[in-house]
Amino acid sequence: MFKALLLEKSDAGFSARVQKVDESRLPPGDVLVQVDCSTLNYKDGLAITNRAPVVRQWPMVAGIDGAGTVLESQHPGWKPGDRFVLNGWGVGEVHWGCLAEKARLKGDWLVKLPASFDSRQAMAIGTAGYTAMLCVLALERHGVKPGDGEVLVTGATGGVGSVATALLARMGYRVTGSTGKASEAAYLKDLGAVGVIDRAELSAPGKPLQKERWAAVVDAVGSHTLVNACAQTRYGGVVAACGLAQGSDLPGTVLPFILRSVTLAGVDSVMAPLPLRQQAWDRLAKDLEPKLLDQITQDIQLDDAISHAEALMAGKVRGRLVVHIR
């Protein structure tokens, strides 16, 4: 038996409970792992609170992220004692996830945890931080350099935004954070932001082309915010889009793309190929200051995950939530 946050849905309704589960119920996989830490991402919050159809098979153990140690392995790339980090691959959606003491996974999904990180630090980064690094890599692939001008980070006090702000600032970029929490300006500046703007400047419908301001953008919000960010991006700039906190719609025009040569680069973290994942984690080990993780992280226990998922959905959480399983 092991403890897990189990999501169930039936004719009687939806339930989310931390309970004991028999190990024989674990799904197929060639690696059995002990999960030391997991985390609560926006998608986890949606699943645990049943706010959106994230879960596609029932019952489901929540948790799209995990870090810990391999217990048993039939996979040639993994052996007992190896340290791993997992992000995405449909875990917590179609395959039992890592808000649990144990998980059975596919070895092809796992990434070698860089030696500079422990399990807690890996989950302080989590899918949000790994996605932020994928966004930075996308900007770099499109030629954005630290001296090119201001970089906008939307949803800057969230998980993706916090890590993106810290990463970009440490790499020498001039970062402006957009947030609806005016009281968090000092928090963002501690992470390295040189400026903070109210999200209201971006969240309402705007003109198709606006004053050129940003050399690049990391957007985790979508909808009007993403459209306005594109409309304010300078000629030849790049917008990395990775989220939909405001909405999945794109109510804009093609004008920024065909008149200013703006690139809209989509960033997916769920099915990203393993070499890109390993590159992202290796770069996080190089470019992210570990002590900054303490500034953006709150530690909770598995038994508290449901209440904190509710707080996350209510916009009452900043930065990252690390869930200690043991």
Side-chain angles (χ1 to χ4, degrees):
M1 301 287 285
F2 63 96
K3 185 187 285 190
L5 200 171
L6 190 67
L7 310 178
E8 297 179 286
K9 182 177 280 190
S10 66
D11 293 341
F14 170 83
S15 69
R17 293 183 298 156
V18 176
Q19 60 187 77
K20 289 287 187 177
V21 179
D22 194 278
E23 190 171 320
S24 64
R25 297 180 65 185
L26 284 169
D30 51 13
V31 178
L32 178 69
V33 302
Q34 171 186 294
V35 183
D36 296 328
C37 296
S38 184
T39 183
L40 289 181
N41 298 288
Y42 189 76
K43 185 180 286 187
D44 295 309
L46 290 172
I48 294 167
T49 62
N50 199 32
R51 300 285 179 88
V54 170
V55 177
R56 298 192 291 279
Q57 292 186 16
W58 304 93
M60 178 59 59
V61 172
I64 68 173
D65 283 344
T69 306
V70 172
L71 296 174
E72 302 173 6
S73 175
Q74 285 76 52
H75 188 281
W78 295 92
K79 65 182 185 301
D82 285 346
R83 297 167 66 245
F84 75 92
V85 59
L86 169 83
N87 308 108
W89 292 117
V91 171
E93 302 176 66
V94 297
H95 187 99
W96 278 21
C98 293
L99 281 166
E101 291 176 332
K102 291 184 179 181
R104 185 171 285 126
L105 306 165
K106 294 184 179 181
D108 289 342
W109 295 344
L110 308 182
V111 171
K112 300 287 186 183
L113 185 62
S116 56
F117 294 136
D118 58 26
S119 293
R120 176 188 176 273
Q121 290 170 323
M123 290 296 95
I125 296 167
T127 282
Y130 146 67
T131 302
M133 189 72 244
L134 291 178
C135 289
V136 171
L137 293 174
L139 300 188
E140 291 180 343
R141 283 196 301 273
H142 287 89
V144 181
K145 297 180 176 58
D148 289 346
E150 285 184 273
V151 177
L152 172 68
V153 175
T154 67
T157 59
V160 173
S162 293
V163 179
T165 298
L167 275 171
L168 289 164
R170 189 167 189 264
M171 294 167 64
Y173 291 88
R174 290 178 54 81
V175 181
T176 293
S178 167
T179 179
K181 304 172 183 176
S183 61
E184 300 289 11
Y187 164 76
L188 291 174
K189 289 181 179 179
D190 284 345
L191 294 180
V194 297
V196 179
I197 63 173
D198 193 312
R199 71 181 177 198
E201 294 184 29
L202 299 167
S203 60
K207 295 179 180 179
L209 286 176
Q210 300 170 34
K211 181 179 179 180
E212 296 180 62
R213 183 168 183 183
W214 317 113
V217 178
V218 173
D219 176 67
V221 178
S223 192
H224 292 292
T225 297
L226 174 56
V227 170
N228 286 320
C230 290
Q232 295 176 11
T233 298
R234 290 163 43 179
Y235 191 94
V238 183
V239 179
C242 65
L244 42 64
Q246 185 179 8
S248 61
D249 57 326
L250 192 65
T253 76
V254 298
L255 294 184
F257 313 121
I258 64 174
L259 296 182
R260 290 183 180 164
S261 196
V262 170
T263 296
L264 180 57
V267 174
D268 165 62
S269 62
V270 177
M271 303 303 292
L274 190 59
L276 181 58
R277 290 168 181 263
Q278 192 68 62
Q279 180 189 10
W281 277 98
D282 290 344
R283 282 290 301 276
L284 284 161
K286 173 186 174 185
D287 295 322
L288 184 64
E289 177 59 53
K291 68 180 182 181
L292 286 176
L293 293 173
D294 292 331
Q295 295 176 227
I296 67 173
T297 302
Q298 180 181 352
D299 295 276
I300 65 173
Q301 301 301 312
L302 180 59
D303 288 337
D304 301 320
I306 296 172
S307 62
H308 280 81
E310 293 282 0
L312 180 62
M313 291 296 94
K316 297 179 180 178
V317 173
R318 78 174 186 190
R320 306 286 295 124
L321 288 166
V322 171
V323 183
H324 291 261
I325 306 300
R326 298 176 177 274

